[in-house]
Amino acid sequence: MRHWKEECGVVGIAGTDCAAELVSLALYALQHRGQEGSGIVSFEDGALKAHRGLGLVSDVYTADALAGLDGTIAVGHNRYSTTGSCSAENLQPIVAHSRGSAIALSHNGNLVNALELRNSLEDQGAIFQTTMDSEVIVHMMARSRQHAFEDRVREALGRVVGAYSVILSDGQKLVGARDPRGFRPLCIGRLGDAHILASESCALDLIGADYLREVEPGELVVIEGSRIWSIPPVEKVDPKHCIFEYIYFSRPDSVVFGHAVDPVRRRLGQTLAEEHPADADLVIAVPDSSNSAALGFAERSKIPFEIGLIRNHYVGRTFIQPTPRLRDLRVKIKYNAVKDVLNGKRVVVVDDSIVRGTTMKKLVKMLKKAGASEVHLRISSPPIQHPCYYGIDTPTRNELLAATHTIEEIRRYLEVEDVEYLSRESLLRAAPQGLGYCTACFDGEYSIPVEGEHTKEILERNPV
Ligand code: SF4
């Protein structure tokens, strides 16, 4: 998958003297979920300290910056946003001051009624600091008449509709919550007396914390000191976990929605090999996100797995784009083909998805130039035909290759021998059972309707 941007990574820690330091380390593990900016807010005796910056985690947190973030509670966020719209003012955690106390909020997801709520709040005189949909949550908390922090959070979340995994703190308590459908992941870990909330369990592994469990859809978890308790959902609705977390977004070494990602991805590859076998000499992955699926395909098809493409890991997402004259070099900056592996071989290329198809077209050209005699493309997800309104930055529908082309047209455009996608039925069979999934980008069945073209455009372009 190229050109479909990740969402955001959130983390919160309470109950340790080095909360901000641990949050910064956890953010390294969640770097894949957002690479355009990062922020941490810490609390010490109710006083709030914040540090945010554009760039990778390694660029944002210097030793000096971390030294200023003392306290026993910290909330962190890695942001992805569309290039150009990521300004320093839109970095999270969001901070607000109300009734003598400060609030910090980190959000992963998209609120589909944020525009409506924002318009209504602005009509009542509210002044917004950012253009982020998440800010409506803190505005509604400020208006709540509830006394306890967690009750104000719950009341505010009761008014928003959409996808959210949020972490909030007022300096006394750390609160984590997921929307009733549970689109985005959020898990709980423990390190000594401290508790951690994080988008994925790979963040817990890095700091040596134990994975306890997922925050359930609609659940609100409250941590105070070394105590943790749960406020169950007011009403249960059918869960809609984002199935793309298993296909692409999450790291393969994570546990997401209660299941390890790598075995799921391998099953997708195995199922793909059963559904769409290929007559070929070797199987290669488009690294790194397709590695597990390609291994599954190779294992089931009994075709050897080889490393035929090398990815340059030192190219950041915001690398300087070549001039139009050198545009064709853009893919070469990131990938190179291994000629000795590919020369004269019939190759199965496994990728997790195709969005616009422009990168894949260049990769195929690269593989053929390196000597591949045939390229059989296998995609470990169904064709993406609809945009996501629940927290993923997708192109508009007419930019999605599979929304505007038949499979045969895609084959001709990519100049491959054949191209086959995993069917929606096989995807749902290979994914962990009993969870309930969102598959809207494949079938257009949006569980939360999105009204109005303007709102759709904002949701497509401004995930957090
Ligand atoms: S539309 Fe696709 S990417 Fe968006 S939440 Fe649903 S499954 Fe995930």
Side-chain angles (χ1 to χ4, degrees), residues 4 183-184 242-244 249 388 390 392 438-441:
W4 196 345
F183 285 101
R184 303 277 146 243
C242 170
I243 205 158
F244 242 111
F249 299 134
C388 174
Y390 309 135
I392 309 299
C438 174
T439 52
C441 45

Side-chain angles (χ1 to χ4, degrees), residues 29-318:
L30 299 175
Q31 186 74 84
H32 60 292
R33 296 183 79 88
Q35 297 161 8
E36 294 202 359
S38 188
I40 297 177
V41 168
S42 72
F43 292 89
E44 174 75 342
D45 295 330
L48 175 150
K49 295 178 180 174
H51 182 79
R52 305 181 195 87
L54 294 170
L56 297 174
V57 172
S58 55
D59 302 325
V60 174
Y61 303 111
T62 59
D64 283 351
L66 285 173
L69 294 172
D70 41 10
T72 56
I73 296 186
V75 178
H77 188 267
N78 281 344
R79 174 166 174 85
Y80 174 76
S81 82
T82 317
T83 306
S85 71
C86 189
S87 61
E89 75 176 19
N90 275 351
L91 292 175
Q92 295 195 22
I94 290 175
V95 168
H97 298 268
S98 167
R99 292 184 220 162
S101 73
I103 300 167
L105 161 75
S106 286
H107 171 208
N108 172 206
N110 250 346
L111 307 178
V112 306
N113 66 340
L115 192 62
E116 190 188 315
L117 288 172
R118 186 182 178 118
N119 287 343
S120 142
L121 288 162
E122 282 179 337
D123 284 348
Q124 295 163 50
I127 296 171
F128 280 74
Q129 311 285 327
T130 74
T131 57
M132 288 182 284
D133 61 349
S134 328
E135 201 183 335
V136 297
I137 298 173
V138 290
H139 276 269
M140 285 182 303
M141 284 177 65
R143 275 148 204 264
S144 169
R145 293 180 181 278
Q146 299 288 342
H147 180 65
F149 179 62
E150 60 271 30
D151 291 337
R152 285 193 283 142
V153 175
R154 191 161 63 151
E155 190 176 300
L157 293 180
R159 292 195 55 201
V160 298
V161 179
Y164 56 84
S165 282
V166 286
I167 300 176
L168 301 101
S169 181
D170 63 350
Q172 302 298 317
K173 292 172 182 165
L174 184 72
V175 169
R178 285 174 72 200
D179 66 80
R181 290 170 180 80
F183 285 101
R184 303 277 146 243
L186 189 65
C187 66
I188 312 169
R190 189 176 184 117
L191 180 66
D193 284 341
H195 286 93
I196 301 105
L197 298 164
S199 296
E200 296 179 34
S201 70
C202 62
L204 308 178
D205 295 339
L206 192 150
I207 60 172
D210 293 324
Y211 170 86
L212 295 182
R213 67 175 178 87
E214 300 293 308
V215 176
E216 295 299 324
E219 183 187 11
L220 200 134
V221 168
V222 190
I223 299 159
E224 186 172 25
S226 58
R227 282 198 319 132
I228 179 166
W229 69 97
S230 161
I231 301 175
V234 180
E235 77 176 297
K236 288 210 170 191
V237 296
D238 287 344
K240 294 286 176 189
H241 301 88
C242 170
I243 205 158
F244 242 111
E245 293 286 349
Y246 285 130
I247 296 166
Y248 167 69
F249 299 134
S250 297
R251 263 176 47 166
D253 51 334
S254 280
V255 171
V256 160
F257 306 142
H259 297 266
V261 175
D262 177 69
V264 178
R265 246 169 236 178
R266 284 182 190 238
R267 274 205 304 279
L268 297 180
Q270 290 161 356
T271 313
L272 182 62
E274 287 164 13
E275 197 171 57
H276 299 294
D279 191 11
D281 302 313
L282 49 96
V283 175
I284 68 166
V286 180
D288 298 316
S289 56
S290 309
N291 290 349
S292 302
L295 282 165
F297 192 101
E299 187 187 293
R300 186 56 49 92
S301 63
K302 306 269 190 282
I303 301 172
F305 175 83
E306 286 287 352
I307 296 176
L309 277 171
I310 301 295
R311 181 175 162 197
N312 183 340
H313 289 96
Y314 306 99
V315 184
R317 188 171 287 290
T318 50

